[in-house]
Amino acid sequence: MTDRVIPIVDGRHAQPLPAARPRAGGMQVRDKLDRPLRDLRVSVTDRCNFRCTYCMPKDVFGPDYKFLPRAEVLSFEEIVRLARVFKDHGIEKIRLTGGEPLLRRNLEHLVEMLAGLGGLDLTLTTNGSLLAKKARSLRDAGLNRVTVSLDALDDATFRAMNDVDFPVEKVLEGIAAGAAAGLAPIKINMVVKRGLNEHAVLPLARHFKGSGHIVRFIEFMDVGASNGWRMDDVVPSAEIVRRIHAEMPLESLDPNYPGEVAERWRYGDGSGEIGVISSVTQAFCRDCNRARLSTEGMLYTCLFATSGYDLRSLLRNNAEDGVLHDAINRIWQARGDRYSEIRTAETARERKIEMSYIGG
Ligand code: SAM
């Protein structure tokens, strides 16, 4: 395949495919830091019904914001075709995300198509607002598990953070429906921002202790360019563990598998576990095996990327499977990203891709 310059898509930077490099037999591919490709995150929409102040603030994502037109968005067939090729390169798990993935019409059908590929762990990250309605059909379609974002249990804080006055009760109903449908254990993701919702850490931990669900506390990250990130806003995971441990003693647990993003802790009384994701204070690039496919088919090899590779134009120019294999192979082999390890005040100001576009 010849090297081609990939056009800039919708103002987001696309870069040319890296040069081909010889590789050892088999399809399994490793990057420059010897990391395999295991986990694919697929953003199925750039739209969301929440306007979380730290993710899609209203002053940026207001009524005039131009979301992707339908023709720009990858179809289910296109996503599944790429997923099949990625699977040949070692992908074991696909996480559907967004935007809010449950806003994508007939998402169950995509899940069913992906399940048809066989052998993939299929998961979804959602704000939970539509989960009560959809949990059963998603499970029936072949979804294995679900992660629900929930930044506070008290209604006032939650409504202020989602900024669309959405009640916490409905998310709790979604979590209950997910568990009833068999999408358990459910992971509950809470982003902790200094001065905004740190008071909600202990109530959330208490609420889910003993429920079988796993709360994961996430450090507020400098993704995108619209959330006004400052280091002072980060509540270090070590502080969160200390606070919870003071009331509900914790013991550290080994990771479930290499590259797991959350550091695991279990309650000393056997009533379950929590996780902390320290992407700012303790970077975990060394084992990162994730690739991210944006809603319009750009491939990013890091959450903090400033540019990606345009796979959609390959698909829409009728590239054969061999060409797609070659592209993925080259992109992954050329990958040397370790943004979180080299983060500085300077890099934090770069124009990075928004989380709502690339997918969490
Ligand atoms: N709408 C879905 C949801 O709410 O889970 C999926 C997309 S959302 C972008 C995925 C996750 O990213 C959410 O848990 C959200 O809290 C998290 N997130 C967004 N911006 C973040 C930031 N700056 N730092 C840490 N996590 C962030």
Side-chain angles (χ1 to χ4, degrees):
M1 180 184 165
T2 53
D3 279 275
R4 48 193 292 278
V5 175
I6 297 184
I8 290 183
V9 177
D10 197 26
R12 285 133 183 160
H13 304 292
Q15 48 180 319
L17 285 182
R21 287 200 296 156
R23 56 186 287 204
M27 294 294 261
Q28 185 53 258
V29 59
R30 292 198 169 249
D31 74 5
K32 280 186 183 160
L33 304 176
D34 202 33
R35 297 169 296 191
L37 176 55
R38 291 267 184 266
D39 186 339
L40 180 66
R41 310 222 160 168
V42 180
S43 173
V44 294
T45 176
D46 58 339
R47 291 161 200 260
C48 189
N49 52 343
F50 284 12
R51 285 292 174 272
C52 297
T53 48
Y54 60 84
C55 185
M56 293 182 78
K58 272 182 180 165
D59 53 347
V60 178
F61 297 89
D64 296 333
Y65 184 82
K66 299 243 173 319
F67 289 99
L68 290 170
R70 188 183 248 270
E72 303 276 314
V73 171
L74 288 190
S75 68
F76 288 171
E77 287 71 22
E78 288 170 328
I79 293 173
V80 173
R81 180 154 182 235
L82 287 177
R84 186 164 45 75
V85 175
F86 272 104
K87 191 174 166 231
D88 288 340
H89 287 275
I91 286 289
E92 294 169 350
K93 172 171 160 185
I94 292 187
R95 175 173 298 280
L96 301 177
T97 177
E100 171 47 43
L102 296 186
L103 290 182
R104 179 85 187 247
R105 202 170 309 149
N106 292 331
L107 190 75
E108 297 85 341
H109 188 45
L110 174 64
V111 171
E112 198 178 346
M113 290 164 79
L114 290 170
L117 296 176
L120 287 169
D121 185 19
L122 295 178
T123 65
L124 171 101
T125 302
T126 173
N127 62 25
S129 58
L130 299 170
L131 191 58
K133 254 192 245 156
K134 300 214 163 213
R136 172 59 60 189
S137 55
L138 287 165
R139 177 67 182 163
D140 290 347
L143 191 74
N144 297 114
R145 273 166 302 103
V146 72
T147 297
V148 180
S149 304
L150 179 59
D151 294 331
L153 265 188
D154 67 285
D155 217 33
T157 307
F158 185 65
R159 285 178 194 250
M161 284 184 78
N162 64 53
D163 212 13
V164 292
D165 213 24
F166 197 87
V168 78
E169 201 49 46
K170 289 251 181 273
V171 178
L172 295 176
E173 282 169 20
I175 293 170
L183 293 167
I186 294 180
K187 288 181 185 148
I188 318 276
N189 277 359
M190 173 183 179
V191 175
V192 188
K193 190 173 171 193
R194 182 76 79 199
L196 186 63
N197 64 339
E198 54 186 312
H199 63 279
V201 166
L202 280 171
L204 206 83
R206 282 184 206 121
H207 182 85
F208 288 106
K209 184 171 184 283
S211 68
H213 307 322
I214 303 169
V215 181
R216 300 179 330 157
F217 301 93
I218 303 176
E219 290 177 348
F220 175 51
M221 292 183 282
D222 50 328
V223 274
S226 60
N227 69 11
W229 185 87
R230 295 174 318 142
M231 188 65 203
D232 290 353
D233 293 331
V234 178
V235 181
S237 292
E239 181 181 327
I240 289 175
V241 169
R242 244 188 343 264
R243 285 198 207 178
I244 298 174
H245 178 72
E247 178 180 317
M248 299 168 271
L250 292 167
E251 298 161 3
S252 119
L253 277 176
D254 288 336
N256 285 311
Y257 51 88
E260 187 171 30
V261 293
E263 183 189 303
R264 301 170 62 213
W265 294 84
R266 79 168 157 231
Y267 291 112
D269 64 5
S271 60
E273 70 174 84
I274 62 156
V276 288
I277 301 183
S278 322
S279 52
V280 178
T281 60
Q282 273 179 290
F284 40 77
C285 305
R286 197 164 28 90
D287 293 321
C288 179
N289 52 25
R290 283 174 292 285
R292 296 165 192 272
L293 184 63
S294 78
T295 312
E296 59 186 340
M298 298 270 280
L299 187 71
Y300 294 90
T301 54
C302 177
L303 178 57
F304 300 97
T306 49
S307 61
Y309 300 92
D310 183 4
L311 296 185
R312 189 189 65 193
S313 64
L314 295 181
L315 287 171
R316 295 193 181 172
N317 286 323
N318 303 318
E320 292 179 357
D321 278 4
V323 173
L324 296 175
H325 279 298
D326 182 55
I328 290 167
N329 191 27
R330 289 197 208 185
I331 292 167
W332 197 259
Q333 280 190 326
R335 176 186 191 244
D337 305 277
R338 47 187 204 95
Y339 175 88
S340 294
E341 287 175 359
I342 56 175
R343 172 188 285 107
T344 62
E346 274 312 302
T347 58
R349 276 200 294 273
E350 283 171 5
R351 274 209 80 76
K352 300 183 289 301
I353 305 298
E354 295 298 327
M355 186 86 144
S356 54
Y357 163 78
I358 197 173

